Amino acid sequence: MNENLFSSFITPTMMGLPIVILIIMFPTLLFPTPTRLINNRLVSAQQWLAQLILKQMMMMHSPKGRTWALMLISLIMFIGSTNLLGLLPHSFTPTTQLSMNLGMAIPLWAGAVITGFRYKTKASLAHFLPQGTPVPLIPMLVIIETISLFIQPMALAVRLTANITAGHLLMHLIGSAALALISISPTTALITFIILILLTILEFAVALIQAYVFTLLVSLYLHDNT
Amino acid sequence: MPQLDTSTWLVTILAMILTLFILIQLKFHKYSYPLSPAPKTFKSTSFPTPWETKWTKIYSPLLLPQQ
């Protein structure tokens, strides 16, 4: 039962070839490159969406922070499209892999922090001690703030992994339950099926929200450091 | 938990770095966000001579002195 439940999270390889590479690269096919002045509907709609997201996200940053605009829009589109594609039946969701989320979170967080240390050293170090702390508490608070800083990338990665994995697991379990209940009691199976539909709607929302939260937090770390 | 099997971590991370930092950014790099088209106000640099500011009947082509 355990092996069957988690089998959708095993990195896919076909006869020894890692096709996970193709699966991770697949969402790029869904964003065609605009080649004309006036493009087709799909490209125009994506440009409109990108502009909407960019205006909202980049409004609070200084000009130095706005150099990260391409990175942040790529991040939110990548995570959003990957999560949404993972809601298709029998598909593999790369964002359930802790490896990928750590690989996204750690370099982006480190980039923001190192940028802060390079350009605003005093202000970055000042983050370790909140204003107005009583003098005896200072050593402990510096330790706590340091731990809180280093846990940021871990929290980013584990938050995304756990949310998406938990959603997929729940859908798998409730779906199996609904299927098994059909032969025992069709009414209960119908109720379970309705629960499954509500859960799927929730998962759509979670897919988008998680992309947003990830990008928003990276953006926040950037704002602190530019 | 299969996510903790570190044998596949290198492949996944490399594929993600390739996709996120290169492929997707190449797509979004080409996006342009033009302003909505609006007509430009036309300001003439040449000013009409006094007898041309008021159109009079004598300027209609058939009434001009025939060459």
Side-chain angles (χ1 to χ4, degrees), chain A residues 2-19:
Chain A
N2 266 347
E3 203 194 273
N4 191 21
L5 190 57
F6 284 102
S7 59
S8 58
F9 300 121
I10 301 175
T11 322
T13 52
M14 199 188 320
M15 298 188 294
L17 289 171
I19 56 174

mmCIF file with all atom_site columns, all heavy atoms in Angstrom, chain A residues 2-19:
data_model
loop_
_atom_site.group_PDB
_atom_site.id
_atom_site.type_symbol
_atom_site.label_atom_id
_atom_site.label_alt_id
_atom_site.label_comp_id
_atom_site.label_asym_id
_atom_site.label_entity_id
_atom_site.label_seq_id
_atom_site.pdbx_PDB_ins_code
_atom_site.Cartn_x
_atom_site.Cartn_y
_atom_site.Cartn_z
_atom_site.occupancy
_atom_site.B_iso_or_equiv
_atom_site.pdbx_formal_charge
_atom_site.auth_seq_id
_atom_site.auth_comp_id
_atom_site.auth_asym_id
_atom_site.auth_atom_id
_atom_site.pdbx_PDB_model_num
ATOM 1   N N   . ASN A 1 2  ? 1.937  1.188  0.856   1.00 0.00 ? 2  ASN A N   1
ATOM 2   C CA  . ASN A 1 2  ? 2.841  2.343  0.915   1.00 0.00 ? 2  ASN A CA  1
ATOM 3   C C   . ASN A 1 2  ? 3.483  2.593  -0.431  1.00 0.00 ? 2  ASN A C   1
ATOM 4   O O   . ASN A 1 2  ? 3.539  3.714  -0.906  1.00 0.00 ? 2  ASN A O   1
ATOM 5   C CB  . ASN A 1 2  ? 3.935  2.101  1.962   1.00 0.00 ? 2  ASN A CB  1
ATOM 6   C CG  . ASN A 1 2  ? 3.539  2.698  3.282   1.00 0.00 ? 2  ASN A CG  1
ATOM 7   O OD1 . ASN A 1 2  ? 2.599  3.478  3.339   1.00 0.00 ? 2  ASN A OD1 1
ATOM 8   N ND2 . ASN A 1 2  ? 4.229  2.343  4.325   1.00 0.00 ? 2  ASN A ND2 1
ATOM 9   N N   . GLU A 1 3  ? 3.983  1.499  -1.033  1.00 0.00 ? 3  GLU A N   1
ATOM 10  C CA  . GLU A 1 3  ? 4.714  1.681  -2.291  1.00 0.00 ? 3  GLU A CA  1
ATOM 11  C C   . GLU A 1 3  ? 3.777  2.188  -3.375  1.00 0.00 ? 3  GLU A C   1
ATOM 12  O O   . GLU A 1 3  ? 4.122  3.034  -4.176  1.00 0.00 ? 3  GLU A O   1
ATOM 13  C CB  . GLU A 1 3  ? 5.327  0.350  -2.707  1.00 0.00 ? 3  GLU A CB  1
ATOM 14  C CG  . GLU A 1 3  ? 6.510  0.548  -3.621  1.00 0.00 ? 3  GLU A CG  1
ATOM 15  C CD  . GLU A 1 3  ? 6.907  -0.735 -4.300  1.00 0.00 ? 3  GLU A CD  1
ATOM 16  O OE1 . GLU A 1 3  ? 7.684  -1.469 -3.712  1.00 0.00 ? 3  GLU A OE1 1
ATOM 17  O OE2 . GLU A 1 3  ? 6.399  -0.989 -5.403  1.00 0.00 ? 3  GLU A OE2 1
ATOM 18  N N   . ASN A 1 4  ? 2.546  1.698  -3.383  1.00 0.00 ? 4  ASN A N   1
ATOM 19  C CA  . ASN A 1 4  ? 1.617  2.118  -4.414  1.00 0.00 ? 4  ASN A CA  1
ATOM 20  C C   . ASN A 1 4  ? 1.239  3.589  -4.251  1.00 0.00 ? 4  ASN A C   1
ATOM 21  O O   . ASN A 1 4  ? 1.074  4.301  -5.227  1.00 0.00 ? 4  ASN A O   1
ATOM 22  C CB  . ASN A 1 4  ? 0.359  1.247  -4.327  1.00 0.00 ? 4  ASN A CB  1
ATOM 23  C CG  . ASN A 1 4  ? -0.527 1.439  -5.519  1.00 0.00 ? 4  ASN A CG  1
ATOM 24  O OD1 . ASN A 1 4  ? -0.056 1.889  -6.554  1.00 0.00 ? 4  ASN A OD1 1
ATOM 25  N ND2 . ASN A 1 4  ? -1.794 1.115  -5.394  1.00 0.00 ? 4  ASN A ND2 1
ATOM 26  N N   . LEU A 1 5  ? 1.135  4.026  -2.993  1.00 0.00 ? 5  LEU A N   1
ATOM 27  C CA  . LEU A 1 5  ? 0.678  5.385  -2.739  1.00 0.00 ? 5  LEU A CA  1
ATOM 28  C C   . LEU A 1 5  ? 1.705  6.403  -3.197  1.00 0.00 ? 5  LEU A C   1
ATOM 29  O O   . LEU A 1 5  ? 1.368  7.420  -3.784  1.00 0.00 ? 5  LEU A O   1
ATOM 30  C CB  . LEU A 1 5  ? 0.425  5.542  -1.236  1.00 0.00 ? 5  LEU A CB  1
ATOM 31  C CG  . LEU A 1 5  ? -0.279 6.796  -0.779  1.00 0.00 ? 5  LEU A CG  1
ATOM 32  C CD1 . LEU A 1 5  ? -1.599 6.916  -1.479  1.00 0.00 ? 5  LEU A CD1 1
ATOM 33  C CD2 . LEU A 1 5  ? -0.483 6.735  0.719   1.00 0.00 ? 5  LEU A CD2 1
ATOM 34  N N   . PHE A 1 6  ? 2.994  6.131  -2.922  1.00 0.00 ? 6  PHE A N   1
ATOM 35  C CA  . PHE A 1 6  ? 4.033  7.092  -3.249  1.00 0.00 ? 6  PHE A CA  1
ATOM 36  C C   . PHE A 1 6  ? 4.639  6.882  -4.624  1.00 0.00 ? 6  PHE A C   1
ATOM 37  O O   . PHE A 1 6  ? 5.595  7.551  -4.970  1.00 0.00 ? 6  PHE A O   1
ATOM 38  C CB  . PHE A 1 6  ? 5.154  7.014  -2.201  1.00 0.00 ? 6  PHE A CB  1
ATOM 39  C CG  . PHE A 1 6  ? 4.795  7.675  -0.906  1.00 0.00 ? 6  PHE A CG  1
ATOM 40  C CD1 . PHE A 1 6  ? 4.408  6.943  0.192   1.00 0.00 ? 6  PHE A CD1 1
ATOM 41  C CD2 . PHE A 1 6  ? 4.832  9.055  -0.805  1.00 0.00 ? 6  PHE A CD2 1
ATOM 42  C CE1 . PHE A 1 6  ? 4.073  7.565  1.376   1.00 0.00 ? 6  PHE A CE1 1
ATOM 43  C CE2 . PHE A 1 6  ? 4.501  9.682  0.380   1.00 0.00 ? 6  PHE A CE2 1
ATOM 44  C CZ  . PHE A 1 6  ? 4.121  8.941  1.481   1.00 0.00 ? 6  PHE A CZ  1
ATOM 45  N N   . SER A 1 7  ? 4.071  5.943  -5.407  1.00 0.00 ? 7  SER A N   1
ATOM 46  C CA  . SER A 1 7  ? 4.747  5.629  -6.664  1.00 0.00 ? 7  SER A CA  1
ATOM 47  C C   . SER A 1 7  ? 4.675  6.775  -7.659  1.00 0.00 ? 7  SER A C   1
ATOM 48  O O   . SER A 1 7  ? 5.498  6.854  -8.560  1.00 0.00 ? 7  SER A O   1
ATOM 49  C CB  . SER A 1 7  ? 4.143  4.369  -7.288  1.00 0.00 ? 7  SER A CB  1
ATOM 50  O OG  . SER A 1 7  ? 2.761  4.597  -7.521  1.00 0.00 ? 7  SER A OG  1
ATOM 51  N N   . SER A 1 8  ? 3.701  7.686  -7.503  1.00 0.00 ? 8  SER A N   1
ATOM 52  C CA  . SER A 1 8  ? 3.649  8.785  -8.466  1.00 0.00 ? 8  SER A CA  1
ATOM 53  C C   . SER A 1 8  ? 4.719  9.827  -8.200  1.00 0.00 ? 8  SER A C   1
ATOM 54  O O   . SER A 1 8  ? 4.896  10.739 -8.986  1.00 0.00 ? 8  SER A O   1
ATOM 55  C CB  . SER A 1 8  ? 2.270  9.445  -8.439  1.00 0.00 ? 8  SER A CB  1
ATOM 56  O OG  . SER A 1 8  ? 1.992  9.912  -7.147  1.00 0.00 ? 8  SER A OG  1
ATOM 57  N N   . PHE A 1 9  ? 5.461  9.712  -7.067  1.00 0.00 ? 9  PHE A N   1
ATOM 58  C CA  . PHE A 1 9  ? 6.476  10.701 -6.767  1.00 0.00 ? 9  PHE A CA  1
ATOM 59  C C   . PHE A 1 9  ? 7.874  10.226 -7.093  1.00 0.00 ? 9  PHE A C   1
ATOM 60  O O   . PHE A 1 9  ? 8.841  10.931 -6.840  1.00 0.00 ? 9  PHE A O   1
ATOM 61  C CB  . PHE A 1 9  ? 6.411  11.095 -5.289  1.00 0.00 ? 9  PHE A CB  1
ATOM 62  C CG  . PHE A 1 9  ? 5.085  11.674 -4.903  1.00 0.00 ? 9  PHE A CG  1
ATOM 63  C CD1 . PHE A 1 9  ? 4.319  11.092 -3.925  1.00 0.00 ? 9  PHE A CD1 1
ATOM 64  C CD2 . PHE A 1 9  ? 4.606  12.804 -5.534  1.00 0.00 ? 9  PHE A CD2 1
ATOM 65  C CE1 . PHE A 1 9  ? 3.099  11.624 -3.578  1.00 0.00 ? 9  PHE A CE1 1
ATOM 66  C CE2 . PHE A 1 9  ? 3.381  13.338 -5.197  1.00 0.00 ? 9  PHE A CE2 1
ATOM 67  C CZ  . PHE A 1 9  ? 2.623  12.750 -4.209  1.00 0.00 ? 9  PHE A CZ  1
ATOM 68  N N   . ILE A 1 10 ? 7.998  9.012  -7.654  1.00 0.00 ? 10 ILE A N   1
ATOM 69  C CA  . ILE A 1 10 ? 9.321  8.523  -8.027  1.00 0.00 ? 10 ILE A CA  1
ATOM 70  C C   . ILE A 1 10 ? 9.745  9.233  -9.303  1.00 0.00 ? 10 ILE A C   1
ATOM 71  O O   . ILE A 1 10 ? 8.961  9.368  -10.240 1.00 0.00 ? 10 ILE A O   1
ATOM 72  C CB  . ILE A 1 10 ? 9.297  6.999  -8.259  1.00 0.00 ? 10 ILE A CB  1
ATOM 73  C CG1 . ILE A 1 10 ? 8.833  6.297  -6.989  1.00 0.00 ? 10 ILE A CG1 1
ATOM 74  C CG2 . ILE A 1 10 ? 10.664 6.488  -8.660  1.00 0.00 ? 10 ILE A CG2 1
ATOM 75  C CD1 . ILE A 1 10 ? 8.661  4.822  -7.171  1.00 0.00 ? 10 ILE A CD1 1
ATOM 76  N N   . THR A 1 11 ? 10.988 9.708  -9.335  1.00 0.00 ? 11 THR A N   1
ATOM 77  C CA  . THR A 1 11 ? 11.479 10.404 -10.527 1.00 0.00 ? 11 THR A CA  1
ATOM 78  C C   . THR A 1 11 ? 11.403 9.475  -11.730 1.00 0.00 ? 11 THR A C   1
ATOM 79  O O   . THR A 1 11 ? 11.962 8.389  -11.710 1.00 0.00 ? 11 THR A O   1
ATOM 80  C CB  . THR A 1 11 ? 12.944 10.826 -10.320 1.00 0.00 ? 11 THR A CB  1
ATOM 81  O OG1 . THR A 1 11 ? 13.097 11.235 -8.978  1.00 0.00 ? 11 THR A OG1 1
ATOM 82  C CG2 . THR A 1 11 ? 13.316 11.954 -11.234 1.00 0.00 ? 11 THR A CG2 1
ATOM 83  N N   . PRO A 1 12 ? 10.704 9.880  -12.795 1.00 0.00 ? 12 PRO A N   1
ATOM 84  C CA  . PRO A 1 12 ? 10.491 8.930  -13.896 1.00 0.00 ? 12 PRO A CA  1
ATOM 85  C C   . PRO A 1 12 ? 11.746 8.670  -14.703 1.00 0.00 ? 12 PRO A C   1
ATOM 86  O O   . PRO A 1 12 ? 12.425 9.597  -15.127 1.00 0.00 ? 12 PRO A O   1
ATOM 87  C CB  . PRO A 1 12 ? 9.452  9.630  -14.776 1.00 0.00 ? 12 PRO A CB  1
ATOM 88  C CG  . PRO A 1 12 ? 9.092  10.881 -14.102 1.00 0.00 ? 12 PRO A CG  1
ATOM 89  C CD  . PRO A 1 12 ? 10.079 11.169 -13.070 1.00 0.00 ? 12 PRO A CD  1
ATOM 90  N N   . THR A 1 13 ? 12.071 7.427  -14.870 1.00 0.00 ? 13 THR A N   1
ATOM 91  C CA  . THR A 1 13 ? 13.123 7.039  -15.804 1.00 0.00 ? 13 THR A CA  1
ATOM 92  C C   . THR A 1 13 ? 12.552 5.937  -16.687 1.00 0.00 ? 13 THR A C   1
ATOM 93  O O   . THR A 1 13 ? 11.813 5.089  -16.218 1.00 0.00 ? 13 THR A O   1
ATOM 94  C CB  . THR A 1 13 ? 14.374 6.501  -15.088 1.00 0.00 ? 13 THR A CB  1
ATOM 95  O OG1 . THR A 1 13 ? 13.962 5.484  -14.194 1.00 0.00 ? 13 THR A OG1 1
ATOM 96  C CG2 . THR A 1 13 ? 15.091 7.581  -14.332 1.00 0.00 ? 13 THR A CG2 1
ATOM 97  N N   . MET A 1 14 ? 12.892 5.987  -17.974 1.00 0.00 ? 14 MET A N   1
ATOM 98  C CA  . MET A 1 14 ? 12.395 4.958  -18.877 1.00 0.00 ? 14 MET A CA  1
ATOM 99  C C   . MET A 1 14 ? 13.576 4.183  -19.386 1.00 0.00 ? 14 MET A C   1
ATOM 100 O O   . MET A 1 14 ? 14.397 4.713  -20.117 1.00 0.00 ? 14 MET A O   1
ATOM 101 C CB  . MET A 1 14 ? 11.646 5.627  -20.051 1.00 0.00 ? 14 MET A CB  1
ATOM 102 C CG  . MET A 1 14 ? 10.748 4.642  -20.724 1.00 0.00 ? 14 MET A CG  1
ATOM 103 S SD  . MET A 1 14 ? 9.986  5.182  -22.241 1.00 0.00 ? 14 MET A SD  1
ATOM 104 C CE  . MET A 1 14 ? 9.523  6.811  -22.034 1.00 0.00 ? 14 MET A CE  1
ATOM 105 N N   . MET A 1 15 ? 13.693 2.943  -18.976 1.00 0.00 ? 15 MET A N   1
ATOM 106 C CA  . MET A 1 15 ? 14.798 2.066  -19.384 1.00 0.00 ? 15 MET A CA  1
ATOM 107 C C   . MET A 1 15 ? 16.146 2.719  -19.086 1.00 0.00 ? 15 MET A C   1
ATOM 108 O O   . MET A 1 15 ? 17.044 2.714  -19.909 1.00 0.00 ? 15 MET A O   1
ATOM 109 C CB  . MET A 1 15 ? 14.701 1.719  -20.879 1.00 0.00 ? 15 MET A CB  1
ATOM 110 C CG  . MET A 1 15 ? 13.435 0.960  -21.192 1.00 0.00 ? 15 MET A CG  1
ATOM 111 S SD  . MET A 1 15 ? 13.387 0.336  -22.858 1.00 0.00 ? 15 MET A SD  1
ATOM 112 C CE  . MET A 1 15 ? 13.338 1.809  -23.806 1.00 0.00 ? 15 MET A CE  1
ATOM 113 N N   . GLY A 1 16 ? 16.258 3.341  -17.910 1.00 0.00 ? 16 GLY A N   1
ATOM 114 C CA  . GLY A 1 16 ? 17.539 3.932  -17.544 1.00 0.00 ? 16 GLY A CA  1
ATOM 115 C C   . GLY A 1 16 ? 17.740 5.347  -18.027 1.00 0.00 ? 16 GLY A C   1
ATOM 116 O O   . GLY A 1 16 ? 18.659 6.020  -17.598 1.00 0.00 ? 16 GLY A O   1
ATOM 117 N N   . LEU A 1 17 ? 16.871 5.844  -18.939 1.00 0.00 ? 17 LEU A N   1
ATOM 118 C CA  . LEU A 1 17 ? 17.031 7.224  -19.412 1.00 0.00 ? 17 LEU A CA  1
ATOM 119 C C   . LEU A 1 17 ? 16.213 8.147  -18.518 1.00 0.00 ? 17 LEU A C   1
ATOM 120 O O   . LEU A 1 17 ? 15.042 7.895  -18.301 1.00 0.00 ? 17 LEU A O   1
ATOM 121 C CB  . LEU A 1 17 ? 16.533 7.365  -20.847 1.00 0.00 ? 17 LEU A CB  1
ATOM 122 C CG  . LEU A 1 17 ? 17.382 6.707  -21.923 1.00 0.00 ? 17 LEU A CG  1
ATOM 123 C CD1 . LEU A 1 17 ? 16.650 6.735  -23.233 1.00 0.00 ? 17 LEU A CD1 1
ATOM 124 C CD2 . LEU A 1 17 ? 18.699 7.428  -22.041 1.00 0.00 ? 17 LEU A CD2 1
ATOM 125 N N   . PRO A 1 18 ? 16.816 9.215  -18.048 1.00 0.00 ? 18 PRO A N   1
ATOM 126 C CA  . PRO A 1 18 ? 16.042 10.114 -17.178 1.00 0.00 ? 18 PRO A CA  1
ATOM 127 C C   . PRO A 1 18 ? 15.118 11.009 -17.994 1.00 0.00 ? 18 PRO A C   1
ATOM 128 O O   . PRO A 1 18 ? 15.504 12.067 -18.468 1.00 0.00 ? 18 PRO A O   1
ATOM 129 C CB  . PRO A 1 18 ? 17.132 10.936 -16.482 1.00 0.00 ? 18 PRO A CB  1
ATOM 130 C CG  . PRO A 1 18 ? 18.302 10.873 -17.388 1.00 0.00 ? 18 PRO A CG  1
ATOM 131 C CD  . PRO A 1 18 ? 18.214 9.630  -18.186 1.00 0.00 ? 18 PRO A CD  1
ATOM 132 N N   . ILE A 1 19 ? 13.849 10.555 -18.170 1.00 0.00 ? 19 ILE A N   1
ATOM 133 C CA  . ILE A 1 19 ? 12.928 11.401 -18.925 1.00 0.00 ? 19 ILE A CA  1
ATOM 134 C C   . ILE A 1 19 ? 12.383 12.527 -18.069 1.00 0.00 ? 19 ILE A C   1
ATOM 135 O O   . ILE A 1 19 ? 11.618 13.354 -18.542 1.00 0.00 ? 19 ILE A O   1
ATOM 136 C CB  . ILE A 1 19 ? 11.752 10.600 -19.509 1.00 0.00 ? 19 ILE A CB  1
ATOM 137 C CG1 . ILE A 1 19 ? 11.025 9.857  -18.410 1.00 0.00 ? 19 ILE A CG1 1
ATOM 138 C CG2 . ILE A 1 19 ? 12.228 9.691  -20.580 1.00 0.00 ? 19 ILE A CG2 1
ATOM 139 C CD1 . ILE A 1 19 ? 9.788  9.168  -18.922 1.00 0.00 ? 19 ILE A CD1 1
#
